[in-house]
Amino acid sequence: MNLPTQVTLCEVGLRDGLQNEKTLFPTQRKLFLTQKLMEAGFTVIEPGSFMSPKAVPQLADTDELYRQVGESKAELRALIANLKGVERAAACGCKKVKLNVSASRAHNLANLNKTPQESMEGFAPCAQVAKAAGIALSGSISMPFASPWEAEIPLEDVIAIVETYLSLGVEEISLSDTSGMAVPNQVYRMCTQMQQRYPQVTWWMHFHNTRGLGIANLMAAMEAGVTRFDTSFAGLGGCPFVPGAAGNIATEDVIYLLDRMGVSTGIDMDMVMEIGRQVTQWVEHPTESYLLRAGTGLL
Ligand code: ZN
């Protein structure tokens, strides 16, 4: 198999995971988890978002969390949807933000109440303000593979978003299978095409395990040469606007897989298991993590 020697994981449980949870996590608990994740070896973490606090009450304290974390060696990126998000990031010392638009028109309308085109028109001022404030910018494309409303998304629609990002100087792009509808050969094809067409871009993949294909999709993306993936502790996550949405691929499951295959992540498996168990207790419901259920089985 064509496996990389090393991959980088971004823990998105504090954002993608918690935004879907009813139990509100106090800022202190998020701070504890952020620090534990850094201790475990994560160099990239998505600790929150700067979206409307009314729309996502769980993440209303992202500003406060950044203030409390202070300077850190890890890259702490936050999801934003508009200029207000960049302004909040600048005010609390956040150094990296991620713009987001869906390749699915219906999803973007449901999620952000705008067409993808309207969302993208708002990106230029975000990029200007971010640059002036010394904030690094990345971009995410939700549902580049398929959506429950439009079935397969035409590749041209994805390319139009990539081109918009590049025109703004954004060269780090995440493809997010928010609907969990991607299948491995489609992932392989998309990753191969995108890397060939845009070799200057640093690609991230973000898989939801809605239909049990998250790990298979990660394998397909690695086979195509992608080495950056989002994962979520205890497999938490989902999108409130996607029917039947399920969590991201679980951090524990992915690290187990990569460790066993000899692919280095720099992240400590035991510490990640401990974080997953703690989070499961706090959310007060069973989670979708195989490893938390079965353990590693290793001596
Ligand atoms: Zn997600």
Side-chain angles (χ1 to χ4, degrees):
M1 296 184 79
N2 177 30
L3 294 173
T5 52
Q6 198 178 355
V7 308
T8 305
L9 301 181
C10 171
E11 171 61 56
V12 297
L14 286 158
R15 198 276 301 167
D16 206 328
L18 294 191
Q19 74 179 9
N20 229 34
E21 293 296 328
K22 290 197 177 61
T23 310
L24 281 186
F25 276 42
T27 313
Q28 277 312 103
R29 192 180 281 180
K30 294 178 185 175
L31 178 65
F32 171 82
L33 287 170
T34 306
Q35 286 165 341
K36 281 279 167 205
L37 290 164
M38 290 194 274
E39 275 172 42
F42 276 95
T43 54
V44 188
I45 300 170
E46 195 167 297
S49 70
F50 297 110
M51 313 296 259
S52 150
K54 266 192 218 125
V56 195
Q58 177 73 270
L59 303 180
D61 63 347
T62 297
D63 321 63
E64 184 52 29
L65 179 60
Y66 269 94
R67 285 194 192 94
Q68 293 195 16
V69 173
E71 286 293 315
S72 93
K73 273 191 232 143
E75 178 185 296
L76 303 176
R77 74 179 187 208
L79 187 70
I80 58 163
N82 51 35
L83 192 54
K84 181 107 184 73
V86 189
E87 288 164 354
R88 282 173 63 191
C92 69
C94 166
K95 295 271 181 277
K96 174 97 180 237
V97 293
K98 185 173 78 172
L99 289 161
N100 174 49
V101 62
S102 185
S104 152
R105 183 185 161 89
H107 179 228
N108 209 68
L109 281 167
N111 200 9
L112 302 167
N113 204 20
K114 287 177 183 170
T115 64
Q117 196 53 40
E118 285 166 349
S119 280
M120 287 190 281
E121 280 160 14
F123 286 174
C126 292
Q128 273 167 10
V129 172
K131 198 170 175 199
I135 297 173
L137 202 59
S138 62
S140 133
I141 305 175
S142 288
M143 297 200 192
F145 301 102
S147 92
W149 301 280
E150 294 111 333
E152 275 206 27
I153 301 291
L155 187 64
E156 305 87 76
D157 293 3
V158 182
I159 284 173
I161 300 175
V162 173
E163 297 280 351
T164 300
Y165 278 138
L166 290 176
S167 73
L168 299 168
V170 174
E171 293 194 338
E172 182 178 344
I173 299 176
S174 157
L175 300 177
S176 300
D177 183 28
T178 314
S179 55
M181 289 172 72
V183 291
N185 63 342
Q186 190 186 19
V187 169
Y188 183 85
R189 194 166 60 234
M190 173 83 82
C191 290
T192 305
Q193 284 174 341
M194 287 297 176
Q195 289 177 114
Q196 273 168 4
R197 197 168 176 144
Y198 304 107
Q200 73 273 46
V201 172
T202 299
W203 296 99
W204 283 84
M205 302 302 292
H206 175 109
F207 294 117
H208 280 261
N209 202 31
T210 316
R211 293 171 179 81
L213 296 175
I215 292 278
N217 287 333
L218 174 136
M219 289 297 299
M222 277 201 305
E223 188 79 36
V226 173
T227 58
R228 289 174 179 79
F229 301 96
D230 291 351
T231 63
S232 179
F233 43 50
L236 297 185
C239 175
F241 306 105
V242 178
N248 289 88
I249 42 178
T251 303
E252 312 80 51
D253 295 353
V254 172
I255 294 177
Y256 174 80
L257 169 79
L258 297 174
D259 276 359
R260 293 292 311 276
M261 297 196 304
V263 179
S264 159
T265 62
I267 299 161
D268 185 273
M269 180 74 200
D270 292 335
M271 289 182 77
V272 158
M273 291 286 278
E274 199 181 302
I275 293 168
R277 275 189 222 106
Q278 177 64 77
V279 167
T280 304
Q281 261 179 24
W282 279 331
V283 296
E284 297 172 342
H285 62 76
T287 63
E288 302 293 326
S289 160
Y290 288 101
L291 262 287
L292 289 178
R293 199 157 53 230
T296 62
L298 300 171
L299 293 176

